[in-house]
Amino acid sequence: MSLEYQNIKVEISEGIATLTVNRPEVLNALDETTTREIGAAALVLDADTDVRAVIVTGAGDKAFVAGADINTLSRLGPEEGRQASILGQRSFDRIEGMSKPVIAAINGYALGGGCELALACHLRIASEQAKIGLPEINLSIIPGHGGTQRLARLVGKGRALEMICGGQQLDAAQAERIGLVNRVVPHGDLAAAAREWAARLASKPPLAMRYALAAVNEGLEATMKQGQVIEAGYFGLCCATEDKFEGMNAFLEKRKPTWKGR
Ligand code: COA
């Protein structure tokens, strides 16, 4: 199945949706339409219970996303800049807020808004050719699609400031070393490795998956104490599902569980 958009492609097969940013002539740079479409697709895919995992990637062999479209950025006044930032934040919040795992398959340059899009995904796998960075400072702006916040939460304040203030690109190995990407694979293996990872996650019980993502995402916005209250709430919800009984019974009966998503 394939849904129609102008600047992204969304394909769904065997419970896995692949969202491809599709402007290879500008290295998949994010203009307003593209940013809006990413947010719209996230809502549609989140509501589709047949979709159990999502892969986000870029078209072509060179780039994941090379940033916000600098042609558009160059014309923004202050209020338009603020609105563009809010649009990107909301759109990427929808990616992060999805109730099924979202994997960024970073197939090349992930710069600026591209790095921020990858940060909004739950997990990141990179090709050995990936180059990841927040070069906004070199244009005398700062990351505006959640990057200043998500990067510091993911890799720590010191490393985040090194990237945000330095504007340099990290190669895949450096990104893996600091925990910016979960794993690195040879370039030619990226699509298959991302799909294999997505398929493994798609086979997990969907409600426990939803609650795990929510507990981590919501807990990170809270204090430790509040986070543990959130965790206990979701743990309790797991205990209300048919799948919890199925999972435990299957273990005790030494058979494979069959998830119902209830
Ligand atoms: N916005 C708009 N267009 C972009 C773009 C962006 N963020 N990134 C690349 N492009 C365009 C280039 O202008 C070029 O268009 P052209 O063929 O009409 O000249 C095309 O994509 C190919 O890019 P090019 O720069 O020729 O490729 P390269 O291999 O020499 O360099 C990069 C690749 C990624 C290093 C370089 O394109 C770059 O630095 N891009 C901007 C990155 C950035 O600052 N992003 C953050 C923006 S906030």
Side-chain angles (χ1 to χ4, degrees):
M1 190 186 140
S2 162
L3 304 169
E4 290 310 313
Y5 296 94
Q6 194 181 313
N7 291 347
I8 65 171
K9 266 190 315 187
V10 177
E11 291 153 317
I12 302 173
S13 85
E14 295 170 346
I16 300 170
T18 303
L19 188 166
T20 306
V21 181
N22 190 26
R23 300 180 77 210
E25 65 288 354
V26 286
L27 304 185
N28 305 318
L30 301 172
D31 63 358
E32 185 181 328
T33 302
T34 315
T35 306
R36 281 190 193 284
E37 287 186 349
I38 291 169
L43 283 188
V44 171
L45 295 175
D46 200 35
D48 185 340
T49 50
D50 290 337
V51 172
R52 304 275 295 275
V54 179
I55 296 169
V56 176
T57 194
D61 210 32
K62 204 168 156 184
F64 175 73
V65 166
D69 191 316
I70 298 173
N71 296 303
T72 319
L73 280 184
S74 65
R75 295 191 292 267
L76 298 182
E79 182 53 23
E80 295 159 306
R82 199 174 75 89
Q83 293 301 335
S85 175
I86 291 170
L87 171 67
Q89 289 170 351
R90 290 200 177 140
S91 186
F92 292 2
D93 281 352
R94 289 179 180 174
I95 293 280
E96 186 175 55
M98 287 180 83
S99 57
K100 46 206 84 181
V102 185
I103 300 172
I106 305 173
N107 53 316
Y109 289 110
L111 302 176
C115 177
E116 294 176 288
L117 175 58
L119 287 168
C121 297
H122 304 131
L123 299 160
R124 285 151 290 281
I125 183 168
S127 115
E128 283 171 350
Q129 288 180 24
K131 297 265 193 236
I132 307 175
L134 291 170
E136 284 89 344
I137 194 84
N138 302 324
L139 301 167
S140 198
I141 55 172
I142 66 170
H145 292 4
T148 59
Q149 305 307 303
R150 287 199 179 92
L151 185 63
R153 282 168 171 76
L154 185 66
V155 302
K157 184 174 167 184
R159 287 185 163 128
L161 283 173
E162 188 177 347
M163 287 180 68
I164 291 165
C165 299
Q168 75 279 29
Q169 296 174 14
L170 302 192
D171 63 29
Q174 290 170 314
E176 188 181 32
R177 210 172 302 130
I178 65 167
L180 176 50
V181 301
N182 298 77
R183 52 181 85 164
V184 178
V185 293
H187 188 64
D189 296 348
L190 179 67
R195 201 166 168 87
E196 197 226 323
W197 196 3
R200 249 182 299 129
L201 294 169
S203 74
K204 306 289 182 198
L207 287 179
M209 180 66 76
R210 170 190 292 257
Y211 301 148
L213 291 167
V216 173
N217 278 331
E218 292 172 25
L220 272 176
E221 302 296 318
T223 63
M224 179 76 180
K225 268 197 164 53
Q226 292 162 340
Q228 296 205 93
V229 171
I230 291 167
E231 179 183 82
Y234 283 118
F235 190 92
L237 276 180
C238 289
C239 294
T241 65
E242 289 180 32
D243 281 346
K244 180 249 186 187
F245 292 101
E246 169 64 6
M248 309 253 165
N249 287 337
F251 176 81
L252 296 171
E253 293 161 13
K254 301 191 188 309
R255 61 173 174 82
K256 269 189 80 158
T258 306
W259 308 124
K260 295 201 179 91
R262 295 199 295 266

